[in-house]
Amino acid sequence: MKELVIIIRPEKLEEMKKILDEVHCGGMTLSSVMGCGTQKGTSFEAGVNEIKGLKTTINLLPKIRVEVVIPDKEVEHVIMKVRETCATNHVGDGKIFVRNIEEAVRIRTGERGIDAL
Ligand SMILES: Nc1ncnc2c1ncn2[C@@H]1O[C@H](COP(=O)(O)OP(=O)(O)OP(=O)(O)O)[C@@H](O)[C@H]1O
Ligand SMILES: [Mg+2]
């Protein structure tokens, strides 16, 4: 099992839910977060600040963080679908982090592993 932590633009949320529904993921956790990437939250405004000689500070922008645990064999498919859907060719499209998940337990039944997803 792998956990995908997917950080996307808020306006991509509905499409993201559709992708995860299509791969029959057992569930998902979504949160509203603030973050920045390599541009430190600045894009066009950074250029203006630099021209004026003003100090540029880190600016955090609203993003959606999706956590989903899925079987290993689904990982590449989900990555491909998220890229197809969430790439706008502009900075700030987001990122996908992949982590190993050792165990899952459905609390109600005691099912383990993929059966618990
Ligand atoms: N290394 C990181 N660690 C944790 N979160 C990150 C990291 N990089 C990006 N993020 C999260 O992803 C969001 C979007 O990042 P973003 O797409 O701007 O990354 P980037 O590396 O700057 O790529 P791009 O150049 O395409 O903008 C950030 O607002 C932040 O929440
Ligand atoms: Mg960026």
Side-chain angles (χ1 to χ4, degrees), residues 36-42 91-93:
C36 70
T38 48
Q39 292 81 21
K40 304 293 178 229
T42 59
V91 296
D93 279 345

Side-chain angles (χ1 to χ4, degrees), residues 47-112:
V48 172
N49 282 351
E50 280 156 18
I51 289 163
K52 288 180 182 167
L54 298 174
K55 197 175 172 208
T56 304
T57 56
I58 290 178
N59 185 31
L60 300 175
L61 299 172
K63 300 285 171 184
I64 294 290
R65 176 186 160 109
V66 181
E67 293 156 73
V68 64
V69 179
I70 56 177
D72 288 11
K73 64 181 170 59
E74 303 283 3
V75 170
E76 285 306 319
H77 176 70
V78 173
I79 290 174
M80 186 192 73
K81 295 295 284 184
V82 170
R83 287 209 58 233
E84 265 176 30
T85 307
C86 296
T88 67
N89 294 322
H90 297 287
V91 296
D93 279 345
K95 262 174 208 179
I96 304 172
F97 299 104
V98 182
R99 338 193 235 222
N100 281 316
I101 294 294
E102 283 182 25
E103 185 60 292
V105 181
R106 175 171 283 113
I107 292 175
R108 176 175 59 86
T109 59
E111 289 159 288
R112 295 285 186 119

